[in-house]
Amino acid sequence: MERFPAIRTVQLQMANPQQWAALSEEERETITSRHEENEQHVKRDLPLCNSIMKMLGFLNTDKDIRDMFLLDEMRSRLANMLLHVLTKLVGSRGLDLKVDNPETYNFRPKEMLQDLCIIFSSFADADEFQKECARSGYYTTDLMSKAVKTCRKLGLLVGESMELFDLLATKVEDASKMMESDEDLYEDAPDEFLDELMCTFMIDPVILPTSGKIVDRQTITQHLLNDSTDPFNRKELSVGDIVPAVELKEKMEVWLEEKRAARNQSS
């Protein structure tokens, strides 16, 4: 879908005889060549995208498979991917996808949105997924709200699926508000509570046995997807090697609860 804005721009150019004729022959050839290349890519890639969305929706009907997508090394990527596609379909730049004859590209936006929101609804009761959506750079309250309204208006989801998707949107918004309110509390957090690689407040601290460093679980699981070494000394490391920093996590939770209580008393 990344190529649709360029395709739409050329279609509008070609639909305007005066604008198209004003270009030199060389410019028209260059634009046409690039346009045909973009069309070929979309016609090749979109059927695969459609199949993946349907496959994810089907796989997530199985709880054991759904739980695999909630693993630390998968959860962030899944949430970002789903929200990225949702942004394209119902976000503020949705008109960029409005091309002539979309069916020739295997582009069926209503069907794609339906498949996407069915996947979202299957994670309505997963707290960690809700938090992952809330911290995603693609998330906005308006995005989820608009998606819910669009699904209702077009009848894309009905019954339990619609209720679950609406519930997910509410829970993600709540998680986002909680995270925003907690961010102020992190400003004076002790250094030992900060990820030694990213310098951010940790949610689930773990120890890297190969270096003794402590980082957030999400940080290291994301790193190990592409590089099976300790980022501090390049020694071999796998997800199975990392050790939960139990005592530190308990200490962090006590500190955070005290900070929340103090904030609530002063407000």
Side-chain angles (χ1 to χ4, degrees):
M1 291 189 291
E2 301 290 340
R3 296 175 183 265
F4 272 145
I7 291 175
R8 173 176 167 78
T9 297
V10 175
Q11 287 180 340
L12 292 174
Q13 278 185 305
M14 292 180 171
N16 186 325
Q18 290 183 330
Q19 182 180 3
W20 188 246
L23 299 173
S24 67
E25 183 175 349
E26 183 179 353
E27 287 176 320
R28 288 197 296 270
E29 288 179 356
T30 300
I31 292 172
T32 300
S33 176
R34 190 178 301 119
H35 179 61
E36 291 174 349
E37 181 182 341
N38 285 333
E39 287 190 318
Q40 289 174 2
H41 276 282
V42 170
K43 289 177 181 179
R44 181 194 64 204
D45 295 343
L46 258 184
L48 177 61
C49 178
N50 293 334
S51 298
I52 290 174
M53 297 293 286
K54 289 190 179 299
M55 180 184 68
L56 283 174
F58 173 73
L59 290 176
N60 278 308
T61 59
D62 185 295
K63 183 181 183 303
D64 291 335
I65 295 178
R66 187 165 64 250
D67 287 345
M68 290 179 64
F69 285 113
L70 293 174
L71 293 173
D72 293 310
E73 57 267 35
M74 295 289 292
R75 190 174 60 244
S76 176
R77 291 194 172 194
L78 177 64
N80 281 317
M81 180 198 76
L82 296 178
L83 286 169
H84 176 62
V85 177
L86 189 64
T87 300
K88 294 293 183 183
L89 292 174
V90 301
S92 59
R93 300 188 64 85
L95 285 176
D96 288 344
L97 304 182
K98 192 174 181 180
V99 295
D100 295 336
N101 304 313
E103 190 64 37
T104 62
Y105 303 104
N106 295 293
F107 182 48
R108 297 179 285 276
K110 290 182 182 179
E111 184 178 328
M112 183 179 288
L113 180 60
Q114 181 183 49
D115 292 337
L116 182 67
C117 294
I118 286 174
I119 298 170
F120 270 119
S121 67
S122 67
F123 293 105
D125 61 348
D127 291 345
E128 290 306 312
F129 181 77
Q130 297 157 16
K131 293 175 184 176
E132 208 63 66
C133 287
R135 67 169 59 100
S136 170
Y138 294 111
Y139 170 74
T140 67
T141 302
D142 289 343
L143 176 67
M144 294 295 286
S145 176
K146 187 175 180 180
V148 169
K149 290 178 181 177
T150 301
C151 284
R152 278 211 177 94
K153 181 180 179 180
L154 300 179
L156 301 181
L157 296 182
V158 295
E160 185 180 13
S161 292
M162 186 66 246
E163 292 176 5
L164 289 173
F165 183 47
D166 192 4
L167 178 63
L168 174 70
T170 299
K171 288 185 174 181
V172 173
E173 182 177 0
D174 290 343
S176 178
K177 289 178 179 177
M178 175 64 76
M179 290 171 61
E180 287 178 2
S181 65
D182 282 351
E183 283 181 3
D184 292 338
L185 305 182
Y186 300 156
E187 291 182 358
D188 61 345
D191 289 345
E192 63 177 322
F193 295 171
L194 304 182
D195 185 308
E196 293 191 52
L197 190 64
M198 305 299 291
C199 295
T200 53
F201 189 87
M202 294 182 287
I203 304 300
D204 187 7
V206 294
I207 303 169
L208 309 185
T210 41
S211 63
K213 299 293 187 179
I214 298 179
V215 297
D216 200 11
R217 184 183 296 275
Q218 180 176 322
T219 299
I220 192 60
T221 52
Q222 288 293 315
H223 168 80
L224 292 175
L225 285 174
N226 303 307
D227 187 343
S228 57
T229 64
D230 185 318
F232 295 95
N233 58 19
R234 312 309 297 170
K235 290 184 179 180
E236 286 293 319
L237 182 67
S238 69
V239 172
D241 295 328
I242 60 180
V243 181
V246 179
E247 291 184 5
L248 177 60
K249 185 174 183 179
E250 291 176 350
K251 186 177 180 180
M252 293 171 65
E253 289 175 346
V254 170
W255 178 86
L256 194 53
E257 283 304 315
E258 290 176 349
K259 297 286 285 186
R260 286 171 177 161
R263 177 189 62 196
N264 293 337
Q265 287 179 354
S266 63
S267 60

